Amino acid sequence: VANPEHSPKAIFISGYASAPLAADLDYTLQGKEAELQTAVTALSKLTEGKVHVSVGSNSSPLAGLNDVVVHKVSGPHPSGNVGTLINKVDPINKGEVAWTVNAQDLVIIGELLLTGKFNAERVVALAGSSVKKPRYFKTKIGSEVSTMVYDNGVDKDGNDRIISGNVLSGKQVTP
């Protein structure tokens, strides 16, 4: 958790999900440009450094934002990791602090600042070899996953792992 007592050297946001089976951020952030802009403008006031955003394409909803430095990234995983972005753009030295923000959390921050309401919606991908109907869901942070999983082709009695997050850094959960 970011310590408000220590101003960050910079703030980093990965807008390119390179991990296998991760939700496409260009899709999940589509149509949320006003919220994204409001959030990054607010974040830019929290650091004397810059707000760095990585994108996979110029058509990303994050690509045209003001108050950020946009970095075009490509290639296989871990090219989209926020740690890779930090390492390549502005490495952290001893005693320095950097903050990271999840790209979908920008939408929540922006909507809170624009409307005064906390909207914990999140777009998630249901994917994998056991999923008969891969697709995206709009859900709430912390929601039970059983209805998404079992209503869409995963066998309740199968030998399947349910992972919250991507397959490389997510955590195994129960429905």
Side-chain angles (χ1 to χ4, degrees):
V1 176
N3 183 346
E5 302 290 323
H6 303 302
S7 180
K9 167 184 179 173
I11 298 173
F12 296 88
I13 301 151
S14 175
Y16 178 61
S18 60
L21 304 177
D24 180 353
L25 290 171
D26 289 354
Y27 175 79
T28 63
L29 300 174
Q30 189 176 22
K32 301 294 185 178
E33 289 80 3
E35 292 87 347
L36 295 168
Q37 183 62 66
T38 299
V40 297
T41 297
L43 289 174
S44 72
K45 296 175 185 336
L46 300 176
T47 180
E48 291 183 18
K50 301 199 179 307
V51 176
H52 297 276
V53 176
S54 65
V55 298
S57 70
N58 293 332
S59 61
S60 167
L62 295 163
L65 299 178
N66 299 316
D67 303 315
V68 298
V69 178
V70 175
H71 303 276
K72 180 95 174 1
V73 299
S74 62
H77 192 68
S79 62
N81 277 3
V82 73
T84 303
L85 177 65
I86 293 169
N87 184 52
K88 297 293 185 186
V89 171
D90 193 2
I92 304 302
N93 298 306
K94 185 176 181 177
E96 294 178 326
V97 174
W99 291 353
T100 64
V101 179
N102 178 298
Q104 286 200 61
D105 289 342
L106 291 175
V107 175
I108 294 171
I109 293 167
E111 189 170 335
L112 176 64
L113 294 171
L114 288 170
T115 67
K117 295 180 182 167
F118 178 75
N119 181 356
E121 283 185 346
R122 170 97 60 209
V123 176
V124 299
L126 177 64
S129 59
S130 297
V131 177
K132 293 180 181 73
K133 295 189 283 185
R135 58 197 231 190
Y136 287 96
F137 285 93
K138 188 181 287 186
T139 186
K140 299 277 186 198
I141 295 172
S143 292
E144 187 174 274
V145 298
S146 63
T147 55
M148 289 181 278
V149 173
Y150 295 141
D151 292 349
N152 288 284
V154 176
D155 184 10
K156 286 184 183 181
D157 301 321
N159 189 20
D160 302 311
R161 287 185 307 147
I162 301 169
I163 301 171
S164 177
N166 69 64
V167 297
L168 299 177
S169 62
K171 71 177 196 177
Q172 187 170 348
V173 297
T174 59

